Amino acid sequence: KTLSDNLIGFPEQIFYCINFIESTSVKEAIEQIEIIQDYNKENFRRIVDEIEKDGLTKNVLSILTEFDFISYELLSEITEQTSDSILEDLLRELNNRAVIEYIGADKDYLRLNEGIKNFLMRANYSIDQSIKDKLKKHIEKFTKEDNMVESDVSDFFYSLKGALLNDYKFQNKL
């Protein structure tokens, strides 16, 4: 294995690796690769500790761990923000810190950085019961809709997965 096989692409980890090599050697960096790997764990812990002090941020992070990707509209609906600017500012900050990334041709969807998502899932990060209840009601509503295919893609996939996992019955519209 090479050093690059053990880096997950966070710029800070790469800079840390470069500094480690400059202060030691490539051979020592390879021999002590766990130090470089642990940098991510500590970095993720620091990032999460900083941003989870805010209730909205914690809720957004927990929601994002549940979704592979999510539209802004669905995230806004789930968090029930009274002001779009508050959620937009939070997402901008999370994006600037490489915690989330925008995807899609028009950047209509967002997802949690894979490294942070894996860290949060290993740490058993979970959503509040009130959000679980909202998502459950959302899935139940989805199973009763006629136009489920016309909903946004993230909503469709999440709701379909949730309905199937919970053995919900779909209304037969054929």
Side-chain angles (χ1 to χ4, degrees), residues 122-134:
R122 282 192 304 270
N124 294 321
Y125 214 76
S126 62
I127 57 177
D128 289 339
Q129 188 60 45
S130 63
I131 294 175
K132 282 183 186 179
D133 294 340
K134 272 187 229 175

Side-chain angles (χ1 to χ4, degrees), residues 48 51-52 57-59 61-62 65-66 119-127:
V48 171
I51 59 183
E52 80 170 350
T57 306
K58 187 173 182 178
N59 283 340
L61 288 177
S62 65
T65 61
E66 293 286 317
F119 174 81
L120 292 174
M121 291 174 77
R122 282 192 304 270
N124 294 321
Y125 214 76
S126 62
I127 57 177

